[in-house]
Amino acid sequence: MFKYEVLKQHSHSSARLGVITTPHGNIETPAFMPVGTQATVKSLSPEELKTCGAQIILGNTYHLYLRPGHEIVQALGGLHRFMNWDKPILTDSGGFQVFSLNKLAKVTEEGVTFKSHIDGSTHIFSPEHAIKVQQALGADIIMTFDEPMPYPAEKSAVEKSLNLSTRWAERCKVAHAKEAQALFGIVQGGMFEDLRTASAQQIVEIDFPGYAIGGLSVGEDIETMHEMAAFTAPLLPRNKPRYLMGVGTPKDLLVCSGMGIDMFDCVMPTRNARNGSMFTSQGKLNIKNNKYRTDASPLDPECDCYTCRNYSRAYLRHLFIADEIFALRLNTLHNIAFYQNWMQKIRRAIREDLPFDFSWTNDPKADSEMSSS
Amino acid sequence: MFKYEVLKQHSHSSARLGVITTPHGNIETPAFMPVGTQATVKSLSPEELKTCGAQIILGNTYHLYLRPGHEIVQALGGLHRFMNWDKPILTDSGGFQVFSLNKLAKVTEEGVTFKSHIDGSTHIFSPEHAIKVQQALGADIIMTFDEPMPYPAEKSAVEKSLNLSTRWAERCKVAHAKEAQALFGIVQGGMFEDLRTASAQQIVEIDFPGYAIGGLSVGEDIETMHEMAAFTAPLLPRNKPRYLMGVGTPKDLLVCSGMGIDMFDCVMPTRNARNGSMFTSQGKLNIKNNKYRTDASPLDPECDCYTCRNYSRAYLRHLFIADEIFALRLNTLHNIAFYQNWMQKIRRAIREDLPFDFSWTNDPKADSEMSSS
């Protein structure tokens, strides 16, 4: 049921137009996946996500395991049915959250012991358990369980960790063997080229239907992130989808698509929206700003999303200042639509073989502003 | 542009089926108006309100005057355009909030001095100013500015207050004279029948296109509220719409429709929804309850709203417990749909001249549970 096909190679970069086939439909790539941590992309309905152009969303295994529990989701027909989303879903393995939300997580060869951020209860995640939980959730694409490293980290520690992650990836593949879901491997190796090479060789050797680049966008500067992604992408097979985890700004998506990355996810559009920080063709727009108090124009005059078609900046500012729930909906809808429109523009450029010489904004300061928000 | 017509008189009660014509369309009565205090019915889009069957919504003059300001709303095309709602709107006069949100409000013959609940700034509302603000907002139906009395209150104080409210109602009519909006008068008089009679005579004498019964549902018991509404309704002209302000539970809407009341508003369905307290044909349902953790059935098996068609109680409980915004949307949508379906059932009974011997629920305890929540 899982298939990836390259439709067109960009002559101006390493970007490729592709299509991923899953049991819940196709995904045109390069694609951006909105994050639906707790079985909902915060504030939006599934229908709204579709009108924004979202083709696939991401669910967080760590969160859903703790609440409501993977067995409950399974008993209710799986994550698709539970949340009323009939298109593809990707779940991460929980590895990242186990560490980022639990500073005292304890790692052994067997797995990770950690405490719930909700009630402090103790849990153990092993590669086998992470697969079992993801099988219960029933996403179309699932991820191997690995150990993300903090940044910066000593090279020896990164090396030790990536070797553990390789052994865990092997165990994940064994645990997963009989299932129809596509299991992606994850390349680690921190900011060290030789370790990225070693990790990529080991993970590709295990053989997965798709590969992710993990351990980036974890505190390093943007240039380093771009360099490491550019170094790692070509180490991965051309005939498999490549997923850059946790990235990024619109500019990151363009630059990294040009490296041959096919899939992205990031909380930036949704989280920024809930803080009133909006992506527009004119750059970053902070809807709280007093200057929008009487502004009758739409958030982004070049956008045709529901928010921009029907509401003024003045109304959006009013709702936000008044702490209204509808503000979060309208803002989130626009930022997701903006990201999806942007990916569509990237895909069109590849299809028509046009150079990646365009920008998401006419504000030259926008990229640095957005990446620091 | 404003017209009220009785289409059918119920033979089993004083209820009547009617239709109100406004510049933004018709309203079938008896009607329930969802409350959109700050230019939004909390969490819902205008399109969702329409699919729920809402024909008219209520806006709060006090809130919109303070934020974003009536002049801004006017400059942006009025409240309908501002909030993207093209059906009828009713605004209250601000009188109720001036007192309920400002314990130190100071009343003189001229008007009321009060402090903003947002920033503590001092403001003065007079009858003329309340009309001016409502004209700027541009609702189809606007209300006279009156002085609501606390409950319980001394008869002499209530009498003095209702006389002041009558003088203010006269000033509102003069201030309003040239406008196309329909200005409704408000009958006060607390829980005293002779004062209700006096107030009704004075207000009807001024002559308005519709009349509200104010000063009920302010702390008195349900029986007293029903008695006072039943006493007051027949004091108002049969050929004008009657609006019972701030009421109530589904049972209240049925009982008071039977007294010949045509319009209702209440925060109960929306506020309860945000607290997880749901109206269903099986009675009150608290979605937080642990027993719904694995419940695959819809909130209300007899409801055909978007929430009930697509989501399980288990999912709704999960979203609510996880503090997800989507929980508030789905809950609010259902409660509003429930209220609108209930009004439709009441209107159908009048149309078909069936007795009001039905209930909104098969749970005999539901009414007392709901009225105390």
Side-chain angles (χ1 to χ4, degrees):
Chain A
M1 274 311 271
F2 182 87
K3 204 174 75 179
Y4 171 68
E5 195 183 350
V6 177
L7 301 176
K8 172 127 187 185
Q9 177 62 54
H10 200 214
S11 77
H12 306 274
S13 76
S14 298
R16 61 263 191 91
L17 188 73
V19 60
I20 296 173
T21 305
T22 82
H24 288 88
N26 293 351
I27 306 151
E28 288 191 302
T29 60
F32 178 79
M33 305 184 280
V35 177
T37 297
Q38 303 192 109
T40 166
V41 174
K42 290 193 191 305
S43 88
L44 295 187
S45 73
E47 291 77 13
E48 285 162 346
L49 282 166
K50 289 180 193 173
T51 66
C52 289
Q55 311 176 79
I56 172 172
I57 60 173
L58 181 144
N60 284 115
T61 293
Y62 167 85
H63 288 87
L64 295 170
Y65 159 78
L66 289 177
R67 189 170 59 190
H70 57 293
E71 281 148 348
I72 286 180
V73 174
Q74 184 172 35
L76 290 159
L79 188 53
H80 290 88
R81 173 72 205 94
F82 185 58
M83 70 181 292
N84 188 33
W85 172 258
D86 57 9
K87 286 176 174 281
I89 300 177
L90 179 149
T91 46
D92 65 6
S93 67
F96 185 78
Q97 281 79 19
V98 159
F99 289 92
S100 65
L101 297 175
N102 300 273
K103 297 305 173 197
L104 301 177
K106 196 171 152 263
V107 184
T108 65
E109 184 67 32
E110 174 55 23
V112 186
T113 306
F114 63 95
K115 287 187 192 302
S116 159
H117 74 287
I118 298 169
D119 63 7
S121 55
T122 299
H123 300 261
I124 302 175
F125 252 53
S126 63
E128 291 77 12
H129 190 60
I131 294 297
K132 187 179 164 188
V133 174
Q134 290 186 87
Q135 286 174 345
L137 296 174
D140 301 272
I141 302 173
I142 67 177
M143 303 300 295
T144 53
F145 184 70
D146 63 358
E147 184 196 26
M149 288 301 288
Y151 176 83
E154 291 293 325
K155 189 171 181 182
S156 60
V158 175
E159 184 168 19
K160 190 177 158 206
S161 169
L162 83 83
N163 288 322
L164 177 64
S165 287
T166 297
R167 294 193 296 277
W168 284 3
E170 284 166 345
R171 285 166 56 189
C172 282
K173 187 169 176 184
V174 170
H176 170 259
K178 291 180 190 153
E179 292 298 317
Q181 299 166 298
L183 173 66
F184 280 24
I186 306 175
V187 175
Q188 294 287 350
M191 308 304 157
F192 305 99
E193 294 190 351
D194 55 343
L195 297 185
R196 286 276 164 189
T197 303
S199 177
Q201 283 173 344
Q202 293 170 22
I203 296 295
V204 170
E205 173 74 22
I206 300 174
D207 188 22
F208 293 101
Y211 297 94
I213 302 175
L216 293 183
S217 207
V218 290
E220 77 281 13
D221 59 46
I222 296 290
E223 291 67 32
T224 304
M225 189 271 274
H226 288 177
E227 281 167 23
M228 291 313 302
F231 179 82
T232 308
L235 304 177
L236 301 173
R238 283 181 43 83
N239 62 339
K240 303 280 179 76
R242 300 170 182 142
Y243 162 28
L244 180 54
M245 303 180 85
V247 173
T249 65
K251 184 176 178 184
D252 291 336
L253 303 186
L254 179 68
V255 170
C256 298
S257 289
M259 298 169 187
I261 301 293
D262 308 296
M263 301 164 70
F264 303 90
D265 79 281
C266 190
V267 296
M268 188 176 276
T270 42
R271 183 174 292 167
N272 279 18
R274 297 196 305 280
N275 293 327
S277 175
M278 310 304 301
F279 290 91
T280 82
S281 58
Q282 297 165 2
K284 179 179 176 174
L285 188 156
N286 189 328
I287 199 63
K288 295 188 289 293
N289 197 309
N290 193 52
K291 70 181 170 194
Y292 302 124
R293 230 159 48 95
T294 57
D295 190 339
S297 56
L299 210 42
D300 185 349
E302 293 181 26
C303 179
D304 69 344
C305 80
Y306 171 77
T307 303
C308 290
R309 282 201 319 275
N310 294 293
Y311 302 93
S312 62
R313 290 172 178 173
Y315 182 66
L316 296 173
R317 178 183 186 276
H318 162 67
L319 290 183
F320 197 91
I321 298 288
D323 270 335
E324 283 287 351
I325 297 163
F326 198 39
L328 308 180
R329 286 181 62 171
L330 292 175
N331 288 357
T332 303
L333 193 146
H334 169 78
N335 272 2
I336 289 291
F338 190 89
Y339 262 60
Q340 296 299 337
N341 290 341
W342 179 238
M343 296 313 295
Q344 206 158 37
K345 195 165 176 182
I346 292 172
R347 291 195 297 268
R348 190 163 52 234
I350 305 171
R351 189 179 298 113
E352 300 173 4
D353 206 26
L354 303 170
F356 279 0
D357 59 358
F358 49 88
S359 170
W360 62 277
T361 168
N362 46 34
D363 176 2
K365 297 193 312 278
D367 284 307
S368 54
E369 280 182 349
M370 273 303 178
S371 57
S372 62
S373 72
Chain B
M1 273 310 272
F2 182 86
K3 204 175 75 179
Y4 171 68
E5 195 184 350
V6 176
L7 301 175
K8 172 125 187 185
Q9 178 62 55
H10 200 214
S11 77
H12 306 274
S13 77
S14 298
R16 61 260 191 93
L17 187 73
V19 60
I20 296 173
T21 305
T22 82
H24 287 87
N26 293 351
I27 305 152
E28 288 191 302
T29 61
F32 178 80
M33 306 184 279
V35 177
T37 297
Q38 304 192 109
T40 167
V41 175
K42 289 192 191 306
S43 87
L44 295 187
S45 73
E47 291 77 13
E48 285 162 346
L49 282 167
K50 289 179 194 173
T51 66
C52 288
Q55 310 177 82
I56 173 173
I57 60 173
L58 181 145
N60 284 117
T61 293
Y62 168 86
H63 289 86
L64 295 170
Y65 159 78
L66 289 178
R67 189 171 60 191
H70 57 293
E71 281 148 348
I72 286 181
V73 174
Q74 184 172 35
L76 290 159
L79 187 53
H80 291 88
R81 174 72 204 94
F82 186 57
M83 69 182 293
N84 189 32
W85 173 258
D86 58 8
K87 285 175 175 280
I89 300 177
L90 179 149
T91 45
D92 65 5
S93 66
F96 185 78
Q97 281 78 20
V98 159
F99 289 92
S100 65
L101 297 175
N102 301 274
K103 297 304 171 197
L104 301 176
K106 196 170 152 262
V107 183
T108 66
E109 183 67 31
E110 176 55 24
V112 186
T113 306
F114 63 96
K115 287 187 192 302
S116 160
H117 74 288
I118 298 169
D119 62 7
S121 56
T122 299
H123 300 261
I124 302 174
F125 253 52
S126 63
E128 291 77 12
H129 190 60
I131 294 296
K132 187 180 165 189
V133 173
Q134 290 185 88
Q135 286 175 345
L137 296 174
D140 301 273
I141 302 173
I142 67 178
M143 304 300 297
T144 53
F145 185 70
D146 64 357
E147 185 195 26
M149 287 300 288
Y151 176 82
E154 292 292 325
K155 189 171 182 182
S156 60
V158 175
E159 183 169 19
K160 191 177 156 205
S161 169
L162 83 83
N163 287 324
L164 177 65
S165 287
T166 296
R167 294 192 296 278
W168 285 2
E170 285 166 345
R171 285 166 57 189
C172 282
K173 188 169 177 186
V174 170
H176 170 258
K178 290 179 189 154
E179 291 298 317
Q181 299 167 297
L183 173 65
F184 280 24
I186 306 175
V187 175
Q188 294 287 350
M191 308 304 157
F192 305 99
E193 294 191 350
D194 55 344
L195 296 186
R196 286 275 165 190
T197 302
S199 177
Q201 283 173 345
Q202 293 169 21
I203 296 295
V204 171
E205 174 72 22
I206 300 174
D207 188 21
F208 293 101
Y211 297 94
I213 301 175
L216 293 182
S217 207
V218 290
E220 77 280 14
D221 59 46
I222 296 291
E223 290 68 31
T224 304
M225 189 272 275
H226 287 177
E227 281 167 23
M228 291 312 304
F231 178 83
T232 308
L235 303 177
L236 301 173
R238 282 182 42 84
N239 62 339
K240 302 279 180 78
R242 301 169 181 142
Y243 163 28
L244 180 55
M245 303 180 85
V247 172
T249 65
K251 184 176 178 184
D252 291 337
L253 303 186
L254 179 68
V255 170
C256 299
S257 289
M259 299 170 186
I261 301 293
D262 308 296
M263 301 163 71
F264 303 90
D265 80 282
C266 191
V267 296
M268 188 176 277
T270 42
R271 183 174 292 168
N272 279 17
R274 297 196 306 280
N275 293 328
S277 174
M278 309 305 301
F279 289 91
T280 83
S281 58
Q282 297 165 3
K284 179 181 177 175
L285 187 155
N286 189 328
I287 199 61
K288 295 188 289 293
N289 197 309
N290 193 52
K291 71 181 170 193
Y292 302 124
R293 230 159 48 95
T294 57
D295 190 338
S297 56
L299 210 43
D300 185 349
E302 293 181 24
C303 179
D304 69 345
C305 80
Y306 171 78
T307 303
C308 290
R309 282 200 319 275
N310 294 293
Y311 301 93
S312 62
R313 291 173 179 174
Y315 183 65
L316 296 173
R317 178 183 186 276
H318 162 66
L319 290 183
F320 197 90
I321 297 289
D323 269 334
E324 283 288 352
I325 298 164
F326 198 38
L328 309 180
R329 286 181 62 172
L330 292 175
N331 288 357
T332 303
L333 193 147
H334 169 78
N335 272 2
I336 288 292
F338 190 89
Y339 261 60
Q340 296 299 337
N341 290 341
W342 178 238
M343 296 313 296
Q344 206 159 36
K345 195 165 176 181
I346 292 173
R347 291 196 297 268
R348 189 163 52 235
I350 305 172
R351 189 179 298 113
E352 299 173 4
D353 206 26
L354 303 170
F356 279 179
D357 59 359
F358 48 88
S359 171
W360 61 278
T361 168
N362 47 34
D363 176 2
K365 297 192 314 276
D367 284 307
S368 54
E369 280 182 352
M370 274 304 178
S371 57
S372 62
S373 73

